[in-house]
Amino acid sequence: MPVEIERKYLVDKEAWEKTQKGKGNYYRQGYLLTEADKTIRVRATDTEGFITIKGKSIGASRLEYEYPIPREEAIELLNNFSVSDIIKWRFKVDFKGKTWEIDEFLGENEGLIVAEIELNSEDETFEVPNWIGQEVTGDNRYFNSALSILPFKEW
């Protein structure tokens, strides 16, 4: 059973802007289902498509099933079946043996920058970069599915 263990943090914009981050990837993702205990998401990048099913978060863990699909089909699903969506740039930064995924949101969530780190266990220790701010792992408002319904600009 695939389990995602992930912690989420706000990003210090000023420190992040000074960071060497490389090329980001543009993501458009939409939700076919957003409920408290499960979501079904479709994602399209410049070159790929994915469908993902996520279960209810318990602490920093939740069930996650993700499958590649043709990009063209991902776009068709987004255009025809998505009930809500978000757009963002995603950057991946390796730091002290761990990969951080940093999302710079666009559209109605512009101004929000969130970093995520996937772990092997909930109690795994790791070092944080200087651009990491407040932890928001337990704050459901920062779930992408929640941001697609109640955007950051409306808080």
Side-chain angles (χ1 to χ4, degrees), residues 29 36 81 144:
Q29 64 188 47
F81 298 100
N144 285 286

Side-chain angles (χ1 to χ4, degrees), residues 54-70:
K54 293 188 178 198
K56 182 178 181 173
S57 291
I58 300 170
S61 301
R62 64 180 162 180
L63 294 176
E64 179 184 60
Y65 301 87
E66 183 168 76
Y67 306 98
I69 60 174

Side-chain angles (χ1 to χ4, degrees), residues 45-85:
T45 71
D46 289 335
T47 59
E48 300 176 294
F50 299 91
I51 188 162
T52 307
I53 302 164
K54 293 188 178 198
K56 182 178 181 173
S57 291
I58 300 170
S61 301
R62 64 180 162 180
L63 294 176
E64 179 184 60
Y65 301 87
E66 183 168 76
Y67 306 98
I69 60 174
R71 180 180 183 275
E72 296 75 25
E73 290 181 20
I75 292 171
E76 286 177 18
L77 288 167
L78 287 166
N79 290 342
N80 294 305
F81 298 100
S82 177
V83 295
S84 59
D85 65 352

Side-chain angles (χ1 to χ4, degrees), residues 14-33:
E14 186 176 313
W16 172 242
E17 287 176 350
K18 296 176 186 173
T19 300
Q20 186 76 347
K21 51 189 148 287
K23 183 182 181 290
N25 290 309
Y26 180 81
Y27 282 22
R28 177 181 171 208
Q29 64 188 47
Y31 293 86
L32 309 183
L33 176 71

Side-chain angles (χ1 to χ4, degrees), residues 5-10 36 56-62 114-117 119 122 133-144 146 155:
I5 303 170
E6 179 180 84
R7 292 181 58 185
K8 193 176 289 224
Y9 298 84
L10 297 178
K56 182 178 181 173
S57 291
I58 300 170
S61 301
R62 64 180 162 180
V114 175
E116 301 172 347
I117 183 170
L119 304 171
E122 288 219 20
Q134 174 187 350
E135 183 170 7
V136 293
T137 301
D139 190 337
N140 295 351
R141 295 177 303 163
Y142 292 97
F143 287 177
N144 285 286
W155 296 4

Side-chain angles (χ1 to χ4, degrees), residues 89-101:
W89 284 98
R90 173 165 284 177
F91 298 87
K92 292 187 179 186
V93 175
D94 291 325
F95 182 79
K96 307 281 185 171
K98 298 301 283 183
T99 300
W100 290 81
E101 295 180 336

